[in-house]
Amino acid sequence: MTIDSTQALLRQAIEYGCEYLAGLDARPVFPDAQALAALDDFDEALPSQPTPPTDVLRQLHRLGSPATTANAGGRYFGYVNGGALPAALAGRVLADCWDQNAALQLMSPVAAKLEAICERWLVDLLRLPEESAVGMVSGTSVASLCGLLAGRNALLTRAGWDVKQQGLFGAPALRVVMSRGAHATIRKALAVLGIGAAQIELVPADEQGRMNAKTLPLLDERTLLIVQAGNVNSGAFDPFTPLCEAARRAGAWVHVDGAFGLWARACSARQGLTEGVDLADSWSVDAHKTLNSPYDCGLIICKDRRALAVALQANDAYIHFGGGRDGMLYTPDMSRRARSIELWAALKSLGRAGVDALVTQLCQRAQQFADELGARGFRILNDVVFNQTLVACETPELTTRTLENVQTSGECWCSGTNWRGEPAIRVSVCSWMTTVDDVRRSVAAFAAAREAAS
Ligand SMILES: *Cc1c(COP(=O)(O)O)cnc(C)c1O
């Protein structure tokens, strides 16, 4: 391989990528049976000999591109999967050419500089305590793990127990208080941190999935309180002010799972939803959801910079910490892709007003779904406060069959859930690409899907 042939290959990759993006609107949102069956062509024994890179790329495009979900288009509403802003996507392509390792400033001065800038911008945009540290991780799962780790260690330190020195066995018991509506990744993070289900005190949630502050147990200085900005189904927000104030009085640590919802804080029309959330100690949020930065980019934000860095620090004679920002102080990883590059590009391209407009637009499209589906006789199960709309038909059976038909329609794609004892269709508007027309077209697909299921 020479630099010339590398360039030709890259140009080809960009061409395939552009062809792919141009075809998004005309192709099925979920791959059809033929595209899925063709994936079997990947099944071969490990090649004993090299394959020319152009052939590798051609095969990837031929088999891979048709077997993607059209997540990058405007009619994918599954899970809470964001799209990719043009500047962020292009920034990422350039960053991939740079192939930087963001562990240390000495490994990548540019990645370190952009991490420091993103940290400052994010804390400003989300109106969180100025001194907060931001770590760039793969997603909210890892971000929550880091926030809860910092909290666990800080609470134990205050109890006179150095967990890094003395370990967890024999440590003073901690309590965890969280909502029944907490996300599955929170339970996973707690399990990784040595906190079992038996130690979790569950607070009832109301009909929207919000923690009921009135039924909060008495907190103390050994408690991790976990709250949520954006329920994964309903989009509902916990009442942060009473919860955080109770935690402050007790000396508890508050972690906020704000995977997609914390962005409400940067939206003039929705910021009321997050009032009081700045009183917490740590926050996890995804850039790859609401902000539409490409995968994978999650953020752990921790008010106590030292608590986060002490919990995650690794030392060895060969690791040279510099005077500037060393990203590995704030993440579990050492070697790591320089996520700050596309994150910076996303924030720079949007600016404060652009983020505000993006979040507003996602919420408006979710409301459009609710209005137009409601007008066609679908039941809307939640108060549409953010970007999530929960939909059902007259009977549970009809809901389930309608969802199956939506998923195979190729027109749009949604995932399902069980909401308060009945099946529901989740519509999550999370892409900058989704237009008023995309919603209209998707609503028509819902109606046709129900018609075919009746
Ligand atoms: C998506 C999501 C998570 C998990 O985030 P990942 O980025 O997939 O790791 C956690 N909590 C909530 C509320 C989410 O929506």
Side-chain angles (χ1 to χ4, degrees), residues 80 139-141 183 185 228 230 232 257 259-260 286 288-289:
V80 191
T140 289
S141 302
H183 195 266
T185 52
Q228 182 166 256
V232 76
D257 175 358
F260 62 94
D286 274 323
H288 59 220
K289 288 181 177 168

Side-chain angles (χ1 to χ4, degrees), residues 316-361:
D316 201 347
Y318 87 102
I319 302 173
H320 301 287
F321 292 105
R325 179 183 168 101
D326 291 307
M328 68 175 278
L329 285 173
Y330 310 105
T331 65
D333 321 72
M334 186 169 182
S335 296
R336 184 168 51 96
R337 202 169 62 71
R339 304 179 172 106
S340 59
I341 297 165
E342 67 257 21
L343 179 59
W344 171 84
L347 293 169
K348 171 84 176 172
S349 74
L350 291 175
R352 206 185 290 274
V355 176
D356 188 344
L358 170 61
V359 181
T360 303
Q361 174 187 319

Side-chain angles (χ1 to χ4, degrees), residues 62-81:
R62 182 173 60 82
L63 300 177
S65 292
T68 54
T69 49
N71 206 59
R75 283 174 284 106
Y76 183 90
F77 308 105
Y79 307 98
V80 191
N81 284 356

